[in-house]
Amino acid sequence: MSKVIALAGKGGVGKTTVGSLVLRYLSKNGLGPVLAVDADPNSNLGETLGIDVTKTVGDIREDFMKDPQGVPSGMDKIVYLEMLMNQVVIERKEFDLLVMGRQEGQGCYCMVNNILNRFTDDLEKNYKFLLVDNEAGMEHLSRRTSGKVDMLLLVSDYALRGLRAVGRIYEMLDSLKLSVSKVGLVVNRAPMELGKTFLDEAARIGVEVLCTLPNDDRLLDFDMERKSLLELPDDSDAVVAIDGLMEKIFKIINVK
Ligand SMILES: Nc1ncnc2c1ncn2[C@@H]1O[C@H](COP(=O)(O)OP(=O)(O)O)[C@@H](O)[C@H]1O
Ligand SMILES: [Mg+2]
């Protein structure tokens, strides 16, 4: 069964950055096959990985709902939707990428959602690792039939507001149809040492700090130059931090 590593946190705290560096680690160490799922409607995982995303699962759903009769004649609609879904999976040497895209509008999406969800469930079975970059509500995760998450990384910046968002997600976990085995906190743009107020708040929420990521100007340079974070040098501060995080995670979730 694939190991599922998921990311959640407030917008702008660094989920996609951390996710990209997790993918960098998995691919550099030949730990594939890996499926990256961009489940944030404000998707940008493709961008940080230097991948041009032209179509998302959301686009397929909307196109189909706009014109349900548009299925080529003689073709079953399930076969048709699955064919379109296959085209949305972007295959790369290092990993595959599935972008969920916009969330559904109004109307009855049950039938099409069922077909698309079943496709993603089946697809996910082919991978050793799944990396899911989420929006705060983690809707994609709770829709999966297995609902299994091995490691949920809650990302916060070094601010109480980010941490409170983490607290809200943590509290919400029980109400989701999810079975989350382990939860850890990643503090992004953090100083060398975390202050007492911040640590006390993390302890109150009940999440362990697994990793602190320093501010790394190279990340901004890469962003400005539209370069893939996969190309970051091994000695960049952020890469070193995430490599350390991955070693910790592998111990926690028992990856040999
Ligand atoms: N440790 C860091 N040092 C410098 N810049 C960072 C760092 N982490 C994230 N950033 C920058 O902050 C912005 C938001 O990060 P991003 O990962 O897209 O957040 P999220 O996915 O949570 O919305 C990006 O432009 C990214 O390059
Ligand atoms: Mg993001």
Side-chain angles (χ1 to χ4, degrees):
M1 218 187 210
S2 43
K3 292 279 185 193
V4 182
I5 302 174
L7 295 147
K10 199 164 77 68
V13 290
K15 298 177 295 294
T16 302
T17 304
V18 171
S20 303
L21 295 177
V22 170
L23 289 169
R24 183 190 182 282
Y25 177 92
L26 294 173
S27 57
K28 289 265 168 185
N29 290 289
L31 296 167
V34 179
L35 176 67
V37 181
D38 188 346
D40 191 334
N42 203 349
S43 9
N44 58 359
L45 185 61
E47 252 168 59
T48 60
L49 300 168
I51 298 172
D52 202 15
V53 178
T54 50
K55 210 166 177 117
T56 68
V57 176
D59 295 335
I60 292 183
R61 189 174 47 222
E62 293 303 323
D63 289 352
F64 182 81
M65 290 303 286
K66 245 186 257 155
D67 182 17
Q69 309 309 322
V71 178
S73 63
M75 201 184 229
D76 178 77
K77 61 176 176 296
I78 299 183
V79 175
Y80 177 61
L81 281 168
E82 287 183 349
M83 182 192 80
L84 295 179
M85 284 292 280
N86 264 308
Q87 295 169 357
V88 172
V89 183
I90 300 172
E91 292 173 11
R92 284 288 184 277
K93 185 166 87 278
E94 302 92 347
F95 50 78
D96 294 349
L97 172 66
L98 181 69
V99 182
M100 302 309 292
R102 54 189 162 160
Q103 281 168 335
E104 60 217 54
Q106 283 174 344
C108 181
Y109 284 77
C110 296
M111 187 276 294
V112 63
N113 273 340
N114 285 341
I115 297 171
L116 303 186
N117 290 343
R118 202 173 56 219
F119 177 92
T120 23
D121 276 348
D122 284 344
L123 176 76
E124 290 174 0
K125 291 185 187 124
N126 301 322
Y127 299 88
K128 213 165 129 189
F129 286 97
L130 225 71
L131 185 276
V132 191
D133 186 2
N134 286 280
E135 91 308 354
M138 299 199 289
E139 196 167 320
H140 171 72
L141 282 181
S142 35
R143 275 185 183 189
R144 294 162 60 242
T145 28
S146 82
K148 180 189 85 115
V149 176
D150 295 281
M151 183 85 229
L152 175 63
L153 295 175
L154 297 174
V155 185
S156 173
D157 47 2
Y158 185 56
L160 286 185
R161 227 177 298 163
L163 205 46
R164 288 198 193 105
V166 158
R168 284 192 292 274
I169 297 170
Y170 192 71
E171 278 170 20
M172 187 180 72
L173 288 181
D174 285 339
S175 64
L176 295 177
K177 223 176 66 203
L178 270 184
S179 123
V180 179
S181 306
K182 303 283 177 192
V183 184
L185 179 64
V186 176
V187 189
N188 191 15
R189 298 180 135 156
M192 293 284 275
E193 241 177 86
L194 301 179
K196 185 173 179 311
T197 315
F198 191 89
L199 285 172
D200 285 350
E201 182 66 12
R204 196 190 60 76
I205 293 168
V207 283
E208 185 193 346
V209 179
L210 286 186
C211 168
T212 60
L213 213 66
N215 194 67
D216 185 342
D217 286 339
R218 264 195 267 197
L219 289 176
L220 293 178
D221 297 342
F222 269 58
D223 182 74
M224 290 294 176
E225 291 163 29
R226 295 197 178 82
K227 271 164 72 179
S228 162
L229 293 188
L230 300 173
E231 308 300 327
L232 272 172
D234 290 343
D235 66 352
S236 109
D237 291 341
V239 169
V240 172
I242 296 297
D243 287 356
L245 169 69
M246 289 309 290
E247 281 164 27
K248 258 192 202 170
I249 291 178
F250 280 6
K251 279 200 191 113
I252 297 175
I253 65 173
N254 232 333
V255 176
K256 302 260 169 2

